[in-house]
Amino acid sequence: QVQLVESGGGLVQPGGSLRLSCAASGFTLDYYAIGWFRQAPGKEREGVSCSSSGDGSTYYADSVKGRFTISRDNAKNTVYLQMNSLKPEDTAVYYCAASRYGAALDGLGHVYEYDYWGQGTQVTVSS
């Protein structure tokens, strides 16, 4: 059973923070690149952040640089996305995904490069 489960979404005011979690089962995240994507209604899914499996390099979309941080806890087989200084335009369903390319991913990657996807968690930023 291969599964990714996101949690931690919710409603937050502009300027607030949330931490999303992505827990994996059925496989080990150590050997996969992990990406976070988001999708707002009527818009295409866009890459937000990625963590490669090799040297731990991280990548961020320009829209979230300086505000979001991706991290891993391999012992817990879990990846996190810390989101600070949230803006209304961050409102979307957030998905985590795992790519077999592992250390080969040197950027956010494309949707088709990811093999496993979580069910998504809603993040709403509103006053």
Side-chain angles (χ1 to χ4, degrees):
Q1 178 69 34
V2 174
Q3 190 173 17
L4 292 170
V5 179
E6 302 99 332
S7 61
L11 175 64
V12 64
Q13 292 184 313
S17 298
L18 287 173
R19 188 180 74 160
L20 305 183
S21 299
C22 176
S25 61
F27 69 104
T28 301
L29 287 178
D30 302 42
Y31 309 109
Y32 288 78
I34 302 298
W36 285 94
F37 292 77
R38 66 187 182 188
Q39 188 166 24
K43 297 184 178 180
E44 67 179 2
R45 193 171 301 177
E46 64 173 345
V48 175
S49 183
C50 177
S51 171
S52 70
S53 66
D55 59 1
S57 296
T58 57
Y59 306 91
Y60 299 92
D62 289 341
S63 60
V64 306
K65 284 182 178 178
R67 299 189 297 121
F68 290 11
T69 303
I70 190 171
S71 62
R72 292 174 180 256
D73 186 337
N74 289 332
K76 296 182 178 180
N77 214 26
T78 299
V79 176
Y80 305 95
L81 184 68
Q82 179 68 44
M83 306 186 295
N84 299 324
S85 301
L86 284 163
K87 305 175 181 179
E89 50 263 46
D90 295 318
T91 296
V93 176
Y94 283 71
Y95 301 88
C96 66
S99 172
R100 76 182 79 175
Y101 289 106
L105 275 188
D106 59 358
L108 294 177
H110 302 282
V111 170
Y112 63 83
E113 293 177 307
Y114 289 82
D115 303 286
Y116 307 122
W117 292 82
Q119 82 289 346
T121 185
Q122 177 71 47
V123 172
T124 302
V125 185
S126 177
S127 59

